[in-house]
Amino acid sequence: LTKSDVVKIVLENRQSEPSEFGEAFAPANIALAKYWGKRDEELNLPRTSSLSVSLGEYGSYTKISQNGNGDSYTLNGQAVATDSTFARRLGLYLDLFRPAKDFFFRVETVNSIPTAAGLASSASGFAALAFALNDFFQWHLDKTAISILARLGSGSACRSVYNGFVEWQAGIEESGMDSFALPLPHTWPDLCLGLIEISSEEKPVSSRAGMKRTVETSVLYKSWPEKTEKDLERLKTAIEKKDFELLGQTAESNALAMHATMIAAWPPLLYWLPKSLETIHKIHRLRDDGLPVYFTMDAGANIKLLFEVKDMDDVRCQFENIKIIRPFDRPGEKV
Ligand code: 2P0
């Protein structure tokens, strides 16, 4: 199946009736049990389920309207060059939704993710875009449908449809109609994330290319699906029981196992920089000294700390320029 086939299934016989504009916000997310490896590259269908936490107010706001002559995009108020990778990727995604060949879009996106944090914005970006398209065309889709549409833009975007803890169920269907995110019913108000920027440079190999290379060449990839399934169950137990140690250990171990599969790929994928390793050792030292702090990493050099609010001051004074996010610290907010 192609993306376009899936869009037809999701939209059923809905008419696309453009309004003046559509707009939406979606949070960024950080996976605690990672999405690493696809079973279908066209539809971004994963080999395993994954579990993430959304970043509350940190994410992407997107406004979409019709544009007269050709698509036009802005990112944080700046025009995006039409021949950039970003514009090409967006244009291909929008092709799936044009009511006519000569229907063009104006897309304005503002990211509230601290740019210095080195967090990918494709997850919140495609989730906000899917919501904004739904608003613009007045489709009245539910969140499951939006999650599926967001996934067609970027796999991890399907998780950015919800706040709080989110599970992306891998599904087994060829069409991927059973591969979407669902929110977990628990909150964890004391949970803190700390973003530590190691490098702001663009990573040498994209996540997309990195996971493909890993699946195709890494001997360690065989062990990944089983590892992630176990970790996912452990994380759910930890979340249910508010067992921070279990949460931290599991997330850190899952991230390191993912990096192990990459390191064993060919050509090897080693996203770590000396400063990443230095920070990892520092975290381990702090833990040995009694500070319960753990980390996770994605396909890059940056490090994300996990700790509880009671340790916030101790953590803050150990890491210069740390950006602290409390994903559940939103009074009155319902997941
Ligand atoms: C994750 N990552 O679960 C994992 C951990 C990176 C490492 O999801 O090809 O940009 O668009 O489906 O979603 C990044 O991969 O890849 C990612 P595509 P995506 O957060």
Side-chain angles (χ1 to χ4, degrees), residues 29-31 33-36 38 44 50 89 122 151 153-157 159 168 203 207-208 211 258 262 297-299:
N29 74 76
I30 290 177
K34 308 291 187 187
Y35 152 50
W36 195 247
K38 301 181 194 194
N44 295 330
S50 56
R89 195 165 165 196
S122 72
R151 167 170 52 73
S154 186
S156 52
R159 298 187 308 237
W168 173 9
K203 51 193 177 192
S207 304
R208 187 165 288 191
M211 65 176 96
M258 176 181 72
M262 302 179 194
M297 291 177 80
D298 292 300

Side-chain angles (χ1 to χ4, degrees), residues 67-81:
N67 204 44
N69 198 2
D71 289 340
S72 97
Y73 315 130
T74 66
L75 183 58
N76 297 332
Q78 305 279 323
V80 176

